[in-house]
Amino acid sequence: MVIAILPDGSKRELPDGASVMQLAESIGKGLAKAAIAGRVDGKVVDLSHKLVGEHQVSIVTDRDPDALLVLRHSTAHVMAEAIQRIWPKALLAYGPALETGFYYDIALDQPISSSDFEKIEKEMAAIIAEDRPFSRYELSFDEGMKRLQSEGNKYKVDNAQRAQAGGAVSLSWYATGQSGKNWEDLCMGPHIPSTGKIKAFKVVSVASSNWHGDVKLDRFQRIYGTAFFDKKQLEEHFKLQEEARKRDHRVIGPALGLFTIDEKVGQGLILWKPKGAVVRQELQNFIGMHLKRQGYQQVFTPHIGRLDLYKTSGHFPYYRESQFPPLVDREFISAKAEEGCTCAQLSNLMETGEIEGYLLKPMNCPMHIRIYASEQRSYRDLPIRLAEFGTVYRWEKSGELGGMTRVRGFTQDDAHLFCMEEQVAAEVQGCLELVKIILGTLGMKDYRVRVGLRDPDSAKYVGDPAQWDRAEAACLAAAESLGVNFSKEPGEAAFYGPKIDFVVKDVIGREWQLGTVQVDYQLPQRFELEYIGADNKPHRPVMIHRAPFGSMERFIGVLIEHFNGAFPLWLSPVQVAVLSISEKFNDYGQQVVNQLKEAGLRVEFDNSGDKIGAKIRKYTLEKVPYMLIVGEKEQAEGKVAVRHRTEGDKGAVSLTEFVTKATTAVGERQ
RNA sequence: GCUGCCAUAGCUCAGUGGUAGAGCGCCACCUUGGUAAGGUGGAGGUCCAGGGUUCAAGCCCCUGUGGCAGCUCCA
């Protein structure tokens, strides 16, 4: 006897071995028709899944978010079959569903390009039109393995072995149709009942990928697609993507004159234009205020430092792959040349760092450490908090660069806190408070917090396990006190200590790490830092690295998207535009402009011969918060007609009233 | 770095081997106006760079540079 406990708590009895579909039918015809899959004790299963005993069962229809994942996984099968029809030599590896679609990794010598998509889609449409059922069958592990080996697809063999390692005792296949007659794939499922349920789909893109994500292993062509239960949703999906593209900081940023990237200057190097510089400067002033309050001291350090410094810190050569090559000492190079050193040999010396020279700094910490070490420190001085907007340079691979979010030169709102171990918890908490203030002021609520812990099985993490435990406990406690949800992620720690990261999504849904707080026991040791304790003996301080914005480039890139280019008044590059009705009122307009400037506001004056409608349109598109329109009436009464970029006409007020309101809002960072 | 796609005016883009185009922007002139585009005219090109094929290349081929999507990486 099967007892199905439905979501409303009611029970339904069916004969043993009844399928989920039969359950759906027993509830109602409409439900059976809409059924895509079932959920048994929380796990999504096929409609054909046979029930035995008592379970919590619900029917998954197309309104259930899980249904979309099942549909997409099934569509991935259909796409794979279509691809194998066109290219019989294509070997399948792995084809999961995604939040926005699905992909299938395929090994095939011949490149598949976007011009092939139509052909693939045509084959897929044919398979869907046949409305073939997805039918599941299982083989014992040994039997299944024998079959896979005879088929000669090493990726599927590997998948099966991994399934076994995960505890599987049997292997399951899905035939798109009838086993033995139609296309089949080794697959855990679940799947939609039949291909006819796929009402809207599209092959979207192709990219390369590697087996198990390892660049040293076999390369695949990863074909992306997406699927929906109806055409409207599919169209909506692409429309949303297009809308997102319009918010992209790479589109908006240059259009609003915030920044530019110049091929002649170099890949991944940001040129901040005057308007972008205003935004950055305002943010820096804002954080500077809080740094003073929290007892930070400002420092400045150079952009290059001796290679030796970075050997001590461990950045070179350990991270040399992601650094610009060293700047070689001229004397050293001539001496080597006289010894008959070839270019190739010289290059090797640079690789290994056996060379006199300088490095463009990849991090600020070694410089701050040397400032700490320049004086004898007492426990009474601690914590010492050194802050700098420090520009660093990293050799990111060309394919990783893009916009302001991934660049080769960027400025961190960096600081290093040197403290006693018992001060770590309080200091980490202070850092988190700062991040919270920043995100709160800017109205950024959509972020997640990640506490990166060490993976005890990995050799990557250096240092004393007891210290790690204490540092991790301090980070977790600080994250706890933040009052927002956070995830613990073993293996995400820096090699020198645990960290707390703030991660946000961009308009395309890609995640970026912004603010970060990291506890470090390693660098103080490598640089043999000390302070004199109350016991008159030397002790080793602990360092905290922290950057609440992360980098100015990445942060502002994300910020542009967050505001869709419409910055709040205090951040707006141009806060007020004065628009004269006609050139007759330009003198009065100029007086208004002068007074606004006098009050410290950033103003632009449109005294051109354009009509007022055109002027309004121009500044609305430029997302200037306030437009002040001045004509005959305003001139006579000493007023300005206020228009807000989104709220429209706000009526006329005296100039002094506007100035008071605007400057107050700026002061309150609105 | 890898796979695929892309590169034409300041911007967005059209141009399938035979005399380089449009819209917006810019400049000038006319117009002097009341809350999202007034009119007319003009300037503006190394068709990403280098090489090749061809009587002839923006267009076809090769190499490089840069951009986009994804993979990988991200101290």
Side-chain angles (χ1 to χ4, degrees):
Chain A
M1 185 69 78
V2 173
I3 300 171
I5 306 164
L6 300 173
D8 64 359
S10 68
K11 290 185 182 178
R12 217 161 247 274
E13 292 183 8
L14 288 162
D16 248 338
S19 69
V20 175
M21 186 58 178
Q22 282 168 314
L23 172 68
E25 279 165 348
S26 82
I27 299 168
K29 245 188 181 167
L31 184 66
K33 207 174 156 213
I36 300 298
R39 191 181 286 108
V40 177
D41 300 329
K43 194 176 163 232
V44 181
V45 299
D46 290 331
L47 283 177
S48 61
H49 177 83
K50 290 190 171 23
L51 296 163
V52 178
E54 186 176 316
H55 298 283
Q56 303 271 348
V57 186
S58 59
I59 306 301
V60 174
T61 66
D62 60 14
R63 274 185 243 164
D64 191 308
D66 280 337
L68 211 46
L69 291 175
V70 176
L71 175 80
R72 286 169 178 169
H73 185 194
S74 300
T75 313
H77 275 226
V78 171
M79 183 179 78
E81 179 179 349
I83 288 171
Q84 285 197 316
R85 277 196 196 179
I86 301 166
W87 298 278
K89 280 190 193 151
L91 275 189
L92 307 180
Y94 182 56
L98 303 171
E99 229 174 278
T100 56
F102 61 86
Y103 66 80
Y104 218 116
D105 277 346
I106 284 162
L108 177 65
D109 289 342
Q110 194 179 341
I112 296 176
S113 86
S114 47
S115 55
D116 298 314
F117 292 174
E118 212 174 303
K119 205 161 43 177
I120 298 170
E121 284 167 357
K122 223 175 126 189
E123 291 294 335
M124 289 172 72
I127 296 163
I128 290 164
E130 288 169 29
D131 194 16
R132 288 191 232 140
F134 278 89
S135 38
R136 176 192 175 100
Y137 65 93
E138 292 188 18
L139 296 177
S140 72
F141 183 81
D142 291 339
E143 214 179 328
M145 200 51 146
K146 220 188 267 171
R147 168 175 167 180
L148 287 172
Q149 268 152 355
S150 74
E151 285 171 353
N153 180 333
K154 61 176 175 173
Y155 308 115
K156 292 288 175 186
V157 170
D158 189 310
N159 282 345
Q161 278 163 344
R162 290 161 77 83
Q164 188 192 33
V169 291
S170 63
L171 296 173
S172 56
W173 267 262
Y174 276 83
T176 311
Q178 213 180 315
S179 167
K181 187 177 153 217
N182 291 107
W183 188 87
E184 297 181 21
D185 194 11
L186 173 75
C187 178
M188 265 173 31
H191 280 282
I192 55 174
S194 74
T195 59
K197 293 278 182 191
I198 304 167
K199 299 295 186 196
F201 70 95
K202 196 159 178 54
V203 179
V204 173
S205 64
V206 57
S208 82
S209 65
N210 294 83
W211 188 226
H212 298 321
D214 187 336
V215 286
K216 291 188 284 286
L217 299 179
D218 296 13
R219 201 172 62 220
F220 300 128
Q221 302 191 62
R222 177 171 291 182
I223 320 293
Y224 283 86
T226 193
F228 289 90
F229 287 107
D230 67 63
K231 287 218 164 66
K232 237 191 192 155
Q233 286 172 16
L234 182 82
E235 281 162 22
E236 187 66 17
H237 168 77
F238 287 111
K239 218 166 89 190
L240 280 176
Q241 282 202 325
E242 213 173 296
E243 289 300 312
R245 176 72 192 148
K246 283 187 204 152
R247 275 185 92 102
D248 195 320
H249 76 277
R250 291 167 295 188
V251 174
I252 290 180
L256 294 181
L258 300 172
F259 71 94
T260 185
I261 299 173
D262 188 336
E263 195 180 320
K264 285 208 160 66
V265 173
Q267 256 189 312
L269 300 171
I270 303 298
L271 299 175
W272 292 80
K273 298 181 40 166
K275 286 181 178 170
V278 167
V279 178
R280 172 167 164 172
Q281 192 63 57
E282 285 295 334
L283 286 173
Q284 292 187 356
N285 293 347
F286 169 50
I287 195 172
M289 192 178 82
H290 287 286
L291 293 185
K292 262 183 225 161
R293 183 175 61 75
Q294 287 196 337
Y296 284 80
Q297 296 169 286
Q298 176 77 46
V299 296
F300 295 102
T301 64
H303 286 219
I304 61 170
R306 276 183 53 205
L307 207 45
D308 204 39
L309 179 68
Y310 297 97
K311 285 186 197 162
T312 306
S313 70
H315 293 112
F316 191 93
Y318 189 63
Y319 285 113
R320 69 162 183 275
E321 295 290 297
S322 54
Q323 288 161 3
F324 280 83
L327 304 157
V328 180
D329 184 280
R330 196 175 285 142
E331 307 269 319
F332 180 89
I333 223 173
S334 336
K336 281 286 165 198
E338 271 169 37
E339 287 169 26
C341 185
T342 66
C343 286
Q345 286 165 331
L346 203 60
S347 164
N348 285 338
L349 291 174
M350 284 170 80
E351 275 293 296
T352 54
E354 296 167 69
I355 204 158
E356 294 294 322
Y358 288 80
L359 198 65
L360 261 174
K361 70 177 173 189
M363 293 197 92
N364 300 304
C365 28
M367 306 258 188
H368 292 179
I369 284 172
R370 294 310 298 163
I371 289 176
Y372 176 91
S374 69
E375 293 176 37
Q376 190 168 55
R377 307 291 182 175
S378 152
Y379 73 99
R380 294 171 189 275
D381 302 331
L382 301 184
I384 288 170
R385 309 179 186 91
L386 303 180
E388 177 181 19
F389 289 96
T391 305
V392 297
Y393 300 89
R394 299 182 188 177
W395 184 262
E396 306 286 2
K397 289 183 211 154
S398 63
E400 294 160 346
L401 297 168
M404 298 184 103
T405 42
R406 197 72 187 266
V407 292
R408 282 185 173 159
F410 58 93
T411 303
Q412 296 176 310
D413 57 324
D414 210 359
H416 296 94
L417 290 69
F418 301 86
C419 63
M420 296 184 270
E421 182 157 0
E422 53 269 36
Q423 294 171 323
V424 168
E427 290 304 312
V428 169
Q429 215 152 330
C431 296
L432 292 188
E433 186 209 334
L434 192 53
V435 180
K436 211 176 160 185
I437 288 171
I438 288 168
L439 297 178
T441 302
L442 295 167
M444 298 171 84
K445 295 190 190 88
D446 196 13
Y447 60 88
R448 68 185 185 94
V449 179
R450 185 172 68 186
V451 182
L453 305 172
R454 74 191 189 283
D455 172 2
D457 297 330
S458 168
K460 174 179 151 193
Y461 306 98
V462 291
D464 172 15
Q467 275 186 337
W468 269 95
D469 288 342
R470 289 196 298 272
E472 289 184 346
C475 284
L476 288 168
E480 204 79 63
S481 73
L482 197 57
V484 297
N485 286 334
F486 62 89
S487 61
K488 299 179 204 176
E489 299 189 21
E492 285 297 311
F495 73 93
Y496 50 70
K499 57 177 188 170
I500 303 167
D501 292 331
F502 291 76
V503 179
V504 302
K505 276 187 187 171
D506 67 14
V507 290
I508 315 183
R510 288 187 287 207
E511 287 202 321
W512 298 105
Q513 179 194 310
L514 297 180
T516 181
V517 179
Q518 310 181 353
V519 182
D520 181 0
Y521 290 91
Q522 287 313 303
L523 285 178
Q525 196 175 319
R526 295 188 78 116
F527 281 94
E528 301 179 328
L529 296 183
E530 286 180 349
Y531 66 88
I532 304 300
D535 56 4
N536 200 28
K537 286 185 183 140
H539 296 271
R540 183 130 298 158
V542 180
M543 257 178 92
I544 298 167
H545 309 242
R546 91 356 22 149
F549 290 127
S551 88
M552 300 314 292
E553 284 74 7
R554 180 176 286 181
F555 190 87
I556 290 174
V558 171
L559 200 63
I560 291 168
E561 297 182 359
H562 172 68
F563 288 123
N564 195 12
F567 291 103
L569 187 66
W570 70 281
L571 281 177
S572 285
V574 178
Q575 294 168 314
V576 186
V578 176
L579 319 180
S580 55
I581 291 286
S582 84
E583 284 164 334
K584 278 191 252 169
F585 311 106
N586 278 351
D587 286 345
Y588 177 61
Q590 189 60 54
Q591 285 173 35
V592 170
V593 167
N594 293 346
Q595 288 189 51
L596 292 168
K597 282 187 177 162
E598 200 63 38
L601 292 163
R602 295 184 289 269
V603 194
E604 222 165 80
F605 185 23
D606 189 341
N607 58 5
S608 71
D610 286 343
K611 285 172 105 166
I612 196 65
K615 291 184 182 184
I616 287 169
R617 182 180 149 82
K618 180 181 170 205
Y619 287 93
T620 305
L621 291 176
E622 284 181 21
K623 310 196 192 228
V624 172
Y626 287 105
M627 285 161 267
L628 300 185
I629 292 150
V630 292
E632 191 172 6
K633 247 186 317 181
E634 290 75 18
Q635 183 170 20
E637 299 170 10
K639 286 186 170 179
V640 290
V642 180
R643 186 188 168 92
H644 186 264
R645 64 184 163 200
T646 55
E647 292 157 24
D649 193 351
K650 310 279 277 183
V653 298
S654 75
L655 178 57
T656 47
E657 187 186 335
F658 176 80
V659 166
T660 309
K661 280 192 174 160
T663 51
T664 306
V666 169
E668 289 169 0
R669 299 207 147 79
Q670 288 173 5

